[in-house]
Amino acid sequence: MNRHRTTPTPPPEELLRLLGRLTGRVMEGIKLQQARVALAVELQRHMLPPELPGLPGLQTAARYVPAQTGLDIGGDWYDGFALPDGSLAFAIGDVQGHDVEAAAFMGQVRTGLRAVAGATTDPGEVLGRANNLLLSMSSDLMATCTFLRFDPASGELADSRAGHVPAVWGTADGAEILHDAGGLPLGVLPDEQYPVTHRRLAHRGAFVLITDGVVEGPTFPLEQGLARVAELVGARYHADAEHLASEVIAVADLTGHRDDAAVLVLRHDGGPYT
């Protein structure tokens, strides 16, 4: 006769105690993650400027939306502030990573750019010095960024890119995706060079900066998302800056994005800007 050994089944009371312990551990993990997300959201919220500078003939507006999952808190950000020489600086960027560390590093990038811009207003030099400053902090993170300087006296917009998504410029002649030359993201290599592109905002139009969460997702390749934004900006370049920013950020819903997303709009009338 063959006898089969069987593992004794624990009594129901012991199974319930085991289930309770496992459930408790799961709940502790969920609460910890929720606390980390809440902290990152608050960090990010306090890092974004409460308002953006503007001028006669220049409207500015921005939008930010968090990741759709509610867990992957990223480091997308935007900024705008006056420079000592009377010009205006604007920036938009995206920090690698989706956690509290990324949100904190985003704050360091934003603060570093503001500090450097007090010493030089050339966008390429600002990015170069900020890059070396971030590397001196010995962080493993990096950030893409576009930095702009607008001179109201000349109507010139100078911009420089550090591995960031191209901007879109819409005028009566249509919209253009601006694949300007740029350098590596901030925090990768020391002494990186960042070329500067100069444009005069002599006619009515809209200069739109975005992060990749707006134009790239599971259902949209980057090129398709950029084309959609260009189509929208080309048709709505004359719209109010706030309305245009809301319409552009809505493109993120089409992509099925899981990342956070940010938009910065400079709506210009062609001058004069003083």
Side-chain angles (χ1 to χ4, degrees):
M1 178 182 295
N2 293 328
R3 294 183 178 178
H4 299 282
R5 289 189 175 183
T6 58
T7 302
T9 302
E13 295 81 3
E14 186 174 340
L15 288 175
L16 287 173
R17 285 195 294 271
L18 176 61
L19 179 60
R21 288 195 296 270
L22 292 174
T23 302
R25 291 175 186 173
V26 170
M27 292 303 297
E28 287 178 5
I30 291 174
K31 289 179 181 178
L32 177 60
Q33 178 61 31
Q34 289 175 336
R36 289 175 63 85
V37 169
L39 175 58
V41 168
E42 284 305 307
L43 275 172
Q44 194 145 12
R45 193 170 289 157
H46 285 292
M47 292 298 178
L48 297 177
E51 59 182 11
L52 294 169
L55 292 166
L58 181 72
Q59 295 181 13
T60 58
R63 294 290 185 275
Y64 169 81
V65 294
Q68 287 186 345
T69 61
L71 296 176
D72 289 337
I73 303 302
D76 286 18
W77 55 278
Y78 59 84
D79 200 4
F81 52 96
L83 294 169
D85 64 356
S87 61
L88 300 181
F90 298 95
I92 192 168
D94 184 358
V95 172
Q96 170 198 34
H98 300 87
D99 53 23
V100 176
E101 186 182 4
F105 186 70
M106 177 265 289
Q108 292 177 329
V109 175
R110 179 172 176 259
T111 302
L113 287 170
R114 281 188 171 234
V116 171
T120 175
T121 58
D122 179 87
E125 290 186 18
V126 170
L127 290 182
R129 294 189 189 186
N131 175 60
N132 287 340
L133 176 63
L134 293 171
L135 285 168
S136 71
M137 298 177 182
S138 301
S139 173
D140 293 330
L141 297 179
M142 63 180 184
T144 68
C145 177
T146 295
F147 188 89
L148 304 92
R149 172 184 180 265
F150 178 67
D151 180 3
S154 64
E156 181 184 81
L157 183 69
D159 69 274
S160 189
R161 285 199 302 154
H164 198 68
V165 181
V168 176
W169 192 23
T171 65
D173 296 327
E176 181 183 0
I177 300 171
L178 304 174
H179 293 280
D180 299 334
L184 293 173
L186 304 178
V188 177
L189 289 176
D191 301 323
E192 177 71 1
Q193 299 298 307
Y194 297 95
V196 180
T197 303
H198 300 266
R199 295 179 175 87
R200 285 196 70 244
L201 305 186
H203 303 284
R204 195 178 192 187
F207 199 93
V208 179
L209 299 137
I210 54 179
T211 60
D212 59 6
V214 178
V215 291
E216 187 175 33
T219 60
F220 258 44
L222 179 65
E223 294 77 12
Q224 186 176 352
L226 281 170
R228 179 68 187 94
V229 170
E231 179 184 357
L232 175 60
V233 174
R236 300 282 290 151
Y237 70 91
H238 48 76
D240 176 82
E242 294 286 349
H243 293 161
L244 183 55
S246 296
E247 292 181 55
V248 173
I249 199 70
V251 174
D253 295 331
L254 303 176
T255 68
H257 75 104
R258 294 170 184 164
D259 200 359
D260 50 348
V263 170
L264 177 61
V265 173
L266 309 183
R267 190 16 206 96
H268 52 91
D269 289 337
Y273 298 104
T274 57

